[in-house]
């Protein structure tokens, strides 16, 4: 069963964080059709938010066709976002763990690692260089 967590510093609304976590778990194959989500009451208590916030997230997931409510029983996964590439995740995960070990060995803390990853991820997605002023002399001559 999924365990939710919230990041108050993220700037993302709590209900959206819950939605993103369910989507991510589906993409990674951590949740599958038929799996039961925690009750609204349990989620509200565990992450200290209003039950209506959890209901809003679950309604949105239901609207997207990813979950279905069964009155008196609970909320269950009814759709998926996974694909055939899930088998390819493990080698990538191992490489990412090695990179994280190198980042820690270089003295980066959790926030610095996250900032470096996110800025690089966004730059790769947009095709931009996040830090053009850090180019080496050889790169500038090209």
């Amino acid at each position: 069963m999924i365990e939710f967590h919230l990041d108050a510093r993220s700037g993302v609304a709590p209900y959206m964080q819950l939605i993103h976590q369910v989507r991510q778990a589906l993409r990674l194959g951590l949740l599958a059709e038929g799996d039961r989500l925690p009750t609204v009451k349990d989620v509200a208590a565990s992450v200290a938010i209003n039950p209506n916030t959890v209901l809003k997230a679950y309604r949105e997931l239901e609207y997207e066709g990813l979950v279905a409510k069964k009155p008196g029983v609970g909320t269950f996964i009814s759709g998926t976002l996974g694909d055939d590439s899930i088998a390819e995740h493990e080698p990538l995960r191992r490489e990412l763990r090695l990179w994280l070990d190198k980042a820690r060995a270089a003295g980066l803390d959790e926030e610095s690692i996250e900032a470096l990853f996110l800025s690089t991820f966004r730059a790769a997605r947009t095709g931009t260089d996040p830090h053009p002023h850090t180019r080496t002399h050889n790169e500038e001559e090209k």
Side-chain angles (χ1 to χ4, degrees):
M1 185 177 291
I2 190 169
E3 288 186 33
F4 292 107
H5 59 277
L6 296 179
D7 181 359
R9 299 174 299 150
S10 73
V12 177
Y15 86 97
M16 285 302 300
Q17 290 185 50
L18 299 178
I19 291 169
H20 289 276
Q21 289 171 49
V22 169
R23 287 181 186 153
Q24 183 177 36
L26 286 167
R27 281 189 184 96
L28 295 174
L30 301 174
L31 285 174
E33 284 190 54
D35 287 348
R36 185 174 181 257
L37 292 180
T39 66
V40 170
K41 182 179 177 181
D42 287 346
V43 175
S46 71
V47 295
I49 59 174
N50 188 307
N52 288 330
T53 302
V54 182
L55 282 170
K56 184 175 182 179
Y58 281 15
R59 275 194 305 268
E60 178 67 26
L61 290 165
E62 186 175 22
Y63 175 76
E64 292 176 12
L66 297 176
V67 303
K69 288 189 287 187
K70 295 182 181 178
V73 181
T75 303
F76 294 83
I77 299 296
S78 61
T80 185
L81 294 174
D83 57 28
D84 294 336
S85 70
I86 287 178
E88 302 297 322
H89 290 188
E90 195 52 40
L92 295 171
R93 184 174 286 123
R94 282 193 299 273
E95 288 180 42
L96 184 54
R97 283 186 187 138
L98 290 172
W99 181 85
L100 289 168
D101 291 343
K102 288 179 186 177
R104 287 185 187 104
L108 276 68
D109 62 12
E110 295 287 322
E111 287 184 18
S112 298
I113 291 170
E114 185 177 342
L116 177 60
F117 177 83
L118 287 175
S119 68
T120 305
F121 178 78
R122 289 181 184 126
R125 185 173 56 199
T126 61
T128 61
D129 185 349
H131 303 287
H133 60 279
T134 60
R135 288 187 183 135
T136 65
H137 181 68
N138 289 342
E139 288 174 329
E140 289 173 358
E141 289 177 353
K142 290 181 183 178

